[in-house]
Amino acid sequence: MEFRQLEYFVTISELENFTRTAEVLHVSQPSVTKAIKSLEGELKLTLIDRSQKHVQLTEEGRTFLIHAQRIMRDVQAAYQDMQRFHSEARGTIRFGIPPMVEGYLFPDFFTKFRAAYPDITLDVQEFNDSFEVREQADLGELDFGVVLGSPEDRVENEFLIMRDQMGLCLPEKHPLAGLDVVPFGRLRHEKFIMQQPHTFQYRSVFDCCTEHGFTPDIVLATSQLKTIKQLVANGTGMSVLPKFVTRGEKIFLHRETEPTIALHISLYWGAHKTFSAIDNRFMDFMRTYTGTPEFKKHFFQK
């Protein structure tokens, strides 16, 4: 079985015409016909019903099409991933970030990296949550990405950037304001303002609530952190957010939760990723950057 046979077959399934397929692929029609017959002979199956005016796939053909399309996608993904090893592509790193990181950790990191490596371009892509970042890195669409997760979720293909924990955000004059530490059970009748469902914040808070015997009353789920913070300040509800995104905020109250929800912010890459020279330079920077006193002071201040 040859790749060109799959390419011809998939194209025919889309165009439903041998002549048009040959024109699009810039080959002769006999070449297309011969390749398809050879493919059918190898499989010992009839893939195309030629008795109709337009080309139609048989039941076997429709089933084989699923496999052919998957193989072609995988080949394309492999080709794209290998492009980063070409000398002309070595100056770019495809980098993914979720919303929680975008306005907090990323600006300082980006500024420092550009100063240290002006010859390397960060192709930055924003995603809805850490789940999407991991998924794209596993597919080879990203070289690296920043993800949020619990300590027990960490895997070998991650580099720990920082440890943090979630903190309770309450409106001023809230009935629970007198407590320094608020048990999750006391939040049973509260209104929650959350991030979107696949985010670490949503999943961890939702799980903690259900473990304490209740489902959180979510009045809004949004990717906009500024919106969440302002709604808390307005008294619309309360939220539970990582401390690194709320430090310095004075428009609402900060309280600890019981139990605490630990959080790891990590650099993630695909499990089967092969590191190029530029990847190693990037990792060297990350190790140096996250180990500096300036980084720890900036992101761990109380």
Side-chain angles (χ1 to χ4, degrees):
M1 189 179 301
E2 300 177 3
F3 181 77
R4 66 179 180 85
Q5 294 173 320
L6 301 180
E7 183 181 25
Y8 293 176
F9 177 71
V10 171
T11 305
I12 285 175
S13 72
E14 295 171 351
L15 300 179
E16 299 182 344
N17 185 282
F18 275 85
T19 302
R20 181 63 181 142
T21 295
E23 292 174 352
V24 169
L25 297 177
H26 304 291
V27 296
S28 66
Q29 181 175 332
S31 296
V32 175
T33 302
K34 182 179 178 180
I36 297 301
K37 285 184 177 180
S38 176
L39 179 62
E40 291 177 319
E42 184 175 349
L43 294 173
K44 296 181 174 60
L45 293 169
T46 300
L47 303 177
I48 294 177
D49 181 0
R50 298 168 175 82
S51 66
Q52 306 297 321
K53 183 176 181 181
H54 296 287
V55 170
Q56 291 186 356
L57 301 186
T58 62
E59 181 180 355
E60 296 87 344
R62 291 191 296 272
T63 301
F64 182 72
L65 178 62
I66 297 173
H67 297 286
Q69 289 172 329
R70 182 185 302 123
I71 292 170
M72 292 189 67
R73 286 195 300 268
D74 288 344
V75 169
Q76 182 63 25
Y79 176 80
Q80 291 177 350
D81 189 42
M82 292 302 99
Q83 294 308 297
R84 62 194 175 89
F85 290 99
H86 288 274
S87 58
E88 64 269 20
R90 291 196 173 206
T92 300
I93 289 179
R94 299 165 297 171
F95 191 78
I97 54 175
M100 197 74 79
V101 172
E102 177 185 353
Y104 298 91
L105 295 177
F106 182 72
D108 184 74
F109 155 76
F110 183 78
T111 301
K112 298 285 197 312
F113 182 80
R114 287 288 299 158
Y117 294 98
D119 60 320
I120 299 177
T121 299
L122 278 184
D123 179 10
V124 182
Q125 302 176 43
E126 300 171 11
F127 294 90
N128 291 325
D129 49 60
S130 297
F131 175 82
E132 285 192 358
V133 174
R134 290 188 180 92
E135 184 178 54
Q136 291 302 305
D138 289 337
L139 290 172
E141 296 297 322
L142 292 176
D143 295 308
F144 299 96
V146 177
V147 297
L148 283 68
S150 58
E152 56 269 23
D153 291 337
R154 286 193 64 205
V155 294
E156 290 185 0
N157 47 306
E158 285 186 12
F159 169 75
L160 179 63
I161 295 176
M162 61 180 281
R163 297 179 177 88
D164 200 17
Q165 68 182 49
M166 307 293 280
L168 182 63
C169 307
L170 294 173
E172 292 184 359
K173 300 181 181 179
H174 190 280
L176 297 174
L179 299 177
D180 292 328
V181 179
V182 180
F184 254 87
R186 297 289 297 273
L187 303 178
R188 179 182 300 270
H189 302 295
E190 297 298 323
K191 304 292 185 183
F192 284 77
I193 303 169
M194 305 277 270
Q195 282 197 291
Q196 294 175 324
H198 284 299
T199 60
F200 171 80
Q201 184 249 20
Y202 187 104
R203 291 185 291 105
S204 60
V205 173
F206 192 95
D207 290 346
C208 206
C209 290
T210 55
E211 287 172 5
H212 285 78
F214 69 97
T215 300
D217 181 3
I218 302 172
V219 297
L220 179 69
T222 174
S223 62
Q224 302 300 315
L225 285 174
K226 289 183 178 179
T227 300
I228 295 176
K229 293 178 181 180
Q230 192 58 56
L231 288 175
V232 171
N234 294 348
T236 305
M238 45 75 58
S239 191
V240 183
L241 294 171
K243 290 187 175 181
F244 78 87
V245 305
T246 61
R247 290 186 180 97
E249 294 284 1
K250 301 184 183 302
I251 60 175
F252 50 74
L253 303 177
H254 303 254
R255 295 294 183 267
E256 303 289 329
T257 63
E258 174 58 44
T260 58
I261 300 176
L263 166 67
H264 279 185
I265 298 93
S266 301
L267 184 71
Y268 182 88
W269 57 91
H272 303 293
K273 177 180 173 62
T274 301
F275 276 62
S276 64
I278 193 172
D279 293 331
N280 288 322
R281 292 175 69 193
F282 181 80
M283 285 301 303
D284 288 342
F285 170 81
M286 288 300 298
R287 295 187 184 97
T288 301
Y289 171 69
T290 57
T292 60
E294 291 79 10
F295 176 84
K296 292 179 171 61
K297 179 180 179 181
H298 186 70
F299 294 110
F300 293 86
Q301 61 184 349
K302 299 301 181 182

